Amino acid sequence: MSTTTVTGLQQELQNKIDNKTKPVGSLGRLEEIAARVGVIQQSLQPHISNPHIIVFAGDHGIAATGLVNPYPQAVTAQMVLNFINGGAAINVFCSQHNIQLCVVDAGVIADFDPTHYTGIENVATGKIIHAKMGYGTRNYLQEKAMTNEEVNNSIEKGKEIVSAIHAAGCNCIGFGEMGIGNSSAAALIMSAITKLPIERCVGKGTGTNKKQFITKIETLESVYDMHIKTMAQPLSAIDILASFGGFEIAMMTGAYLEAAKRKMIIVVDGFISTAALLVAQAIDRSILENCFFAHTSDEQGHEGMLYYLQAKPLLNLSMRLGEGTGAALAIPLIQSAVNFLNEMASFESAAVSNKD
Amino acid sequence: MSTTTVTGLQQELQNKIDNKTKPVGSLGRLEEIAARVGVIQQSLQPHISNPHIIVFAGDHGIAATGLVNPYPQAVTAQMVLNFINGGAAINVFCSQHNIQLCVVDAGVIADFDPTHYTGIENVATGKIIHAKMGYGTRNYLQEKAMTNEEVNNSIEKGKEIVSAIHAAGCNCIGFGEMGIGNSSAAALIMSAITKLPIERCVGKGTGTNKKQFITKIETLESVYDMHIKTMAQPLSAIDILASFGGFEIAMMTGAYLEAAKRKMIIVVDGFISTAALLVAQAIDRSILENCFFAHTSDEQGHEGMLYYLQAKPLLNLSMRLGEGTGAALAIPLIQSAVNFLNEMASFESAAVSNKD
C-alpha cells in the first residue's frame, strides 16, 4: 500500500464498502469506522489484533481531606487488588470480549505484596505492572500535585508501557483508570484546557451527594484560582498536569501519545480518560486521528469534553464507572466494522443484483 | 424463587446490583437490563443461553411494480442464498458473537434447490427453514396482500419455529427480515396502528432516491386510503396484516408472541421488525415486558415507532440494513449486563470499602 496516497486509499476503501451486499450507507457509523481503521492501518484489509485495556491506578493528595470524594482513599488500592483478582466490572467485560487487561500501579499510596507485582517486560501476566512514580500526589490545596520531573517521568513511563504492549502484537488499545479523587483532577484539567468554568467541569464523581457536590465545586474553584495565578501563559500541558495531577493521568497522556505514534487504534473511555486525552492532544493534536470515542459518560463534564473535541461517541448507556468499562464495550463495535469489511460478500461474489 | 413476589425479587436484584464493587448506578442502563432480565427469568442469577437470530424472508406483490423499491424483487431470494452461504452482514455479526442464525423462507417468490431446505425440526442446520406460506403476497394496489387464513397460518408457523428454537435451549432471540418491498408494508402497518399519516411512516427503505421516495409516498397513501375503507373499525391486527402483508411480517408477529409466552429475552431490531412488534403488542401488550430495543434505525419511521412504544434503544449507529443486524450488535450488551450481575465481586467479597 505504500505507493497509495491516503486519498486514493480512502476511495478504494469506500468502493469496497459500497460493493458489499447491502444498500449503500446502511451500516451507518460502522462504515465510517471501517474506513477510518483502514486509513489508520493503510490497508484495505485492516485487522484488530490482541486488543488491550490498561488501567492506570494512582492516588491523589486531595483525597485524604475527604473534601471531594465520598469513598476513602484506601479504595484505590482495594480496587487494584479487585482488578487482579478478577472481580471488577472491567474484568467481566474484558473477559467477555477477549480483551487483555493490564493493571498499572502508577502511584498508589500503598505498596502491594511483592508477589503481585511484575515489570513492564511482562505485561500480560495478570499481575500489577510496577510503575509507581510516587506514593500518591501532593495535596493541591497547598502545593502543586507533582513536580515537572514527575510529570515527564510519568509520561515517559506511559509510553514505555504502550511500547511493550504494542511489541506483544496489540494494535487496539483503551485506557481506564482508578484513583479516588481523580474526577477532581480531571475537572481541573478540563477547565484549564477548555476554558470552561469549574462548575461546568465538575460532576458528582463516584457517589457524591448534593452537599458533598457543592463542597467539591467550591474546593476546586479555589484550587483552580490559586494555581492558575502561578502558571505561565499560555498554559502548558506539563504545567497543568503538575498543578492538578495525577500520576495515572500523566501516564495515560504518554500512553495516548505512544499509541498514536505506533498507529494503534485508540478507544477513548470516559471522563478521566478523556481528560488525559485533552492533555495529550494539546501536546500533539494529530493523535485524534487514531481515536474512537467509546461512550458518553454520565459524569457531567464529559459532554463538554466531547464537544470541545468534536467527538461523537459510539455508545450512550449512562455509565460513569471508569476503569475503561466504556472502551471494553465499544471495542466489539469496532471489531464488527472491521469484520464486515473483511468478511461480507460483494454483490458480484454473491451474485446479488445491485439497484439500477 | 417461586415464593418470591416480583416486587421482592426486584428488591433483591437491586440490592445485589448495588453491592457490586462500583458506585451505585454507575453501570447505567446495564443495571436496568440486568434487573429486567432477572425479573423475566425470575432469578437472581439470570443467564443467556444459546442466543438466536431468525431472519424471516418473504416477497411482496407490490415489488414487481417497482413503484416502491429500487432493488429488483429477485434480490430477496439472492440474499437468502447469501445468508446460507455466510456472506451477509448478519452472518458476520452472528459469527462474531456466537449467535445462531436461522433463515426462514416465509414466502419467497422463488423455490430454492431442495438440498438447501430443512424442516422446523432441524433449526440449527444452517439451511433454509421451509415455511413457505405462498409465492410472495398479492399486490395490495389491487387486493389484500394476504387472506386472513394466510395471516393466521403465518402467525402459527412463527410460533412453531420459536417453540422449536426454545426447545433447543435458546432463551434470547432477535428477529430480522429480508423482503424487497417490505419497508412499504411496515410503513402501512405503522400508520394503521399508530395513526400517524403515511408520510411520517415512510422512509427511503434500502436505497431509494428522492424521486422514487415521492412516488413511494404517493403510492402508499393511495394504498392506505383504498384498504382502510374496507376494514372494520377498530382495526384488527389480522386485518392490518392481511391488507398490507407480508408473510415474513406475520410470521414474525407469531414469533414475538411465542417468545414472550416462553419468557425469552426478545431483542427488537429495526423498522420492519418493530412493525411486526406493533402488530404483536396490539394482540398482547404484555409481550413488551420481554423486549429490549436494540437500536434506533436510520429509517425515518423507526423513531415514531419507538416513541409510540415508549422504547429507548441501546444503540444509535445510523444503521438501516435490517436482517437483524442491530439485534446482533445489541445482544453482547445484554450479555454484559447479565455477566456483571453474576461475575462481579461484592464490596464484602472483595474487601473494598463502601462509602460512608
Side-chain angles (χ1 to χ4, degrees):
Chain A
M1 302 300 308
S2 59
T3 58
T4 312
T5 65
V6 170
T7 309
L9 176 66
Q10 280 174 322
Q11 190 56 55
E12 285 182 73
L13 283 161
Q14 197 58 53
N15 291 346
K16 185 173 178 183
I17 291 167
D18 291 346
N19 280 313
K20 297 294 185 182
T21 48
K22 58 167 188 58
V24 167
S26 62
L27 280 175
R29 298 200 55 198
L30 296 191
E31 300 193 13
E32 299 167 24
I33 296 170
R36 281 190 59 204
V37 172
V39 169
I40 290 169
Q41 298 186 358
Q42 288 286 296
S43 170
L44 286 169
Q45 289 91 28
H47 64 288
I48 291 181
S49 99
N50 203 8
H52 276 62
I53 284 181
I54 314 180
V55 178
F56 296 95
D59 275 308
H60 292 253
I62 185 71
T65 68
L67 286 168
V68 298
N69 48 295
Y71 286 87
Q73 190 169 43
V75 167
T76 305
Q78 291 166 350
M79 283 300 297
V80 168
L81 289 174
N82 198 19
F83 295 142
I84 63 167
N85 289 327
I90 190 60
N91 297 100
V92 174
F93 301 155
C94 282
S95 167
Q96 179 185 352
H97 294 300
N98 291 311
I99 298 165
Q100 179 71 44
L101 179 65
C102 291
V103 182
V104 175
D105 179 354
V108 180
I109 206 164
D111 277 320
F112 298 98
D113 187 289
T115 61
H116 290 323
Y117 278 119
T118 185
I120 291 179
E121 67 283 3
N122 295 311
V123 285
T125 56
K127 295 187 173 186
I128 303 164
I129 297 172
H130 200 306
K132 199 188 272 292
M133 310 307 293
Y135 290 85
T137 56
R138 294 172 194 82
N139 179 357
Y140 50 53
L141 282 174
Q142 289 145 12
E143 58 189 319
K144 287 188 178 227
M146 302 157 76
T147 64
N148 282 18
E149 188 184 5
E150 285 171 332
V151 172
N152 285 320
N153 288 346
S154 297
I155 289 174
E156 286 309 307
K157 191 62 81 173
K159 291 181 179 179
E160 276 178 47
I161 292 168
V162 168
S163 293
I165 289 172
H166 179 262
C170 166
N171 72 359
C172 175
I173 200 156
F175 306 127
E177 42 53 52
M178 179 68 222
I180 295 298
N182 69 5
S183 73
S184 295
L188 291 161
I189 290 167
M190 177 183 173
S191 188
I193 291 182
T194 67
K195 310 299 180 196
L196 287 166
I198 283 286
E199 63 174 277
R200 296 279 305 277
C201 303
V202 177
K204 292 187 179 174
T206 47
T208 308
N209 67 26
K210 192 171 175 182
K211 190 179 159 208
Q212 291 168 324
F213 185 44
I214 292 167
T215 305
K216 183 175 177 180
I217 291 175
E218 290 172 350
T219 303
L220 297 184
E221 282 174 339
S222 72
V223 167
Y224 190 85
D225 292 344
M226 176 185 121
H227 283 275
I228 211 75
K229 285 180 207 149
T230 70
M231 293 157 76
Q233 294 287 343
L235 298 178
S236 83
I238 306 301
D239 260 4
I240 293 169
L241 284 172
S243 293
F244 306 128
F247 292 122
E248 81 281 33
I249 295 175
M251 212 170 279
M252 213 185 302
T253 300
Y256 279 116
L257 293 167
E258 188 70 19
K261 182 178 164 191
R262 295 189 179 269
K263 302 190 186 309
M264 296 168 86
I265 298 160
I266 300 170
V267 188
V268 181
D269 193 50
F271 186 61
I272 291 115
S273 297
T274 311
L277 181 67
L278 285 176
V279 180
Q281 62 88 42
I283 295 169
D284 179 359
R285 180 91 184 163
S286 74
I287 66 168
L288 295 176
E289 290 165 20
N290 291 59
C291 291
F292 296 85
F293 290 82
H295 76 133
T296 304
S297 165
D298 224 33
E299 177 74 7
Q300 180 185 282
H302 197 225
E303 282 194 65
M305 289 178 171
L306 295 169
Y307 182 78
Y308 179 83
L309 293 167
Q310 297 179 284
K312 291 187 182 169
L314 290 165
L315 295 167
N316 188 346
L317 297 170
S318 300
M319 287 165 54
R320 52 174 167 80
L321 178 52
E323 303 179 2
T325 48
L329 297 182
I331 285 174
L333 295 174
I334 298 170
Q335 184 75 62
S336 295
V338 168
N339 288 359
F340 97 74
L341 185 63
N342 289 318
E343 298 172 18
M344 271 182 79
S346 66
F347 283 104
E348 191 177 5
S349 74
V352 173
S353 308
N354 207 334
K355 63 177 172 172
D356 303 333
Chain B
M1 302 301 308
S2 58
T3 60
T4 311
T5 64
V6 170
T7 310
L9 175 66
Q10 280 174 323
Q11 189 57 56
E12 285 182 73
L13 283 161
Q14 196 58 54
N15 290 346
K16 185 172 177 182
I17 290 167
D18 290 346
N19 280 313
K20 297 295 183 182
T21 46
K22 58 167 189 58
V24 167
S26 61
L27 281 175
R29 297 201 56 199
L30 295 191
E31 300 193 14
E32 299 168 24
I33 296 170
R36 282 190 61 205
V37 172
V39 169
I40 290 168
Q41 298 186 357
Q42 289 285 296
S43 171
L44 288 169
Q45 290 91 29
H47 65 289
I48 290 179
S49 99
N50 202 8
H52 277 61
I53 286 181
I54 315 180
V55 178
F56 296 95
D59 274 308
H60 292 252
I62 185 70
T65 68
L67 285 167
V68 298
N69 47 294
Y71 286 88
Q73 190 170 43
V75 166
T76 305
Q78 291 166 350
M79 283 299 298
V80 168
L81 290 175
N82 198 18
F83 296 143
I84 63 167
N85 289 328
I90 189 60
N91 298 100
V92 173
F93 301 157
C94 283
S95 167
Q96 180 185 354
H97 294 301
N98 290 312
I99 299 165
Q100 178 72 43
L101 179 65
C102 292
V103 182
V104 176
D105 178 356
V108 180
I109 205 163
D111 277 322
F112 298 98
D113 187 289
T115 61
H116 289 323
Y117 279 119
T118 185
I120 291 179
E121 66 284 1
N122 296 311
V123 285
T125 55
K127 294 187 176 185
I128 303 164
I129 297 173
H130 199 307
K132 199 189 273 291
M133 311 307 292
Y135 290 85
T137 56
R138 294 172 195 82
N139 179 357
Y140 49 53
L141 281 174
Q142 288 144 12
E143 58 189 318
K144 285 186 180 230
M146 302 157 77
T147 65
N148 282 19
E149 187 183 5
E150 285 171 332
V151 171
N152 286 318
N153 288 345
S154 297
I155 289 175
E156 285 310 307
K157 190 63 78 172
K159 291 181 179 178
E160 278 178 47
I161 292 169
V162 167
S163 293
I165 289 172
H166 179 263
C170 166
N171 72 359
C172 175
I173 200 156
F175 306 126
E177 42 54 51
M178 180 67 222
I180 295 298
N182 69 6
S183 73
S184 294
L188 290 160
I189 290 168
M190 177 185 174
S191 187
I193 291 182
T194 66
K195 312 298 181 195
L196 287 166
I198 283 287
E199 63 173 277
R200 296 278 307 277
C201 303
V202 177
K204 292 189 179 172
T206 46
T208 308
N209 67 27
K210 194 173 177 184
K211 190 178 158 208
Q212 291 166 326
F213 185 44
I214 293 168
T215 305
K216 183 176 178 180
I217 291 176
E218 290 173 349
T219 303
L220 297 184
E221 282 175 338
S222 71
V223 166
Y224 190 85
D225 292 343
M226 176 185 121
H227 284 274
I228 210 79
K229 287 180 203 151
T230 70
M231 294 158 75
Q233 294 287 340
L235 297 179
S236 83
I238 306 300
D239 260 4
I240 293 169
L241 284 172
S243 292
F244 306 129
F247 293 121
E248 82 280 31
I249 295 176
M251 212 170 279
M252 212 186 298
T253 300
Y256 280 116
L257 293 167
E258 188 69 20
K261 181 177 164 193
R262 294 188 180 271
K263 301 190 186 308
M264 296 168 86
I265 298 159
I266 301 170
V267 187
V268 181
D269 193 51
F271 186 62
I272 291 114
S273 297
T274 310
L277 181 67
L278 285 176
V279 180
Q281 62 87 42
I283 296 170
D284 179 359
R285 180 91 183 163
S286 74
I287 66 169
L288 295 177
E289 291 166 20
N290 291 60
C291 291
F292 296 85
F293 290 81
H295 76 133
T296 304
S297 165
D298 224 34
E299 177 73 6
Q300 180 186 285
H302 197 227
E303 282 194 65
M305 289 178 171
L306 295 168
Y307 181 79
Y308 179 84
L309 294 167
Q310 297 178 282
K312 290 187 186 169
L314 291 165
L315 296 167
N316 189 346
L317 297 170
S318 301
M319 288 165 54
R320 50 175 168 81
L321 178 52
E323 301 179 3
T325 47
L329 298 182
I331 285 174
L333 294 174
I334 298 171
Q335 185 74 62
S336 295
V338 168
N339 288 0
F340 96 75
L341 185 64
N342 289 317
E343 298 173 19
M344 271 181 77
S346 66
F347 283 104
E348 191 177 5
S349 73
V352 172
S353 308
N354 207 336
K355 62 178 173 169
D356 302 332

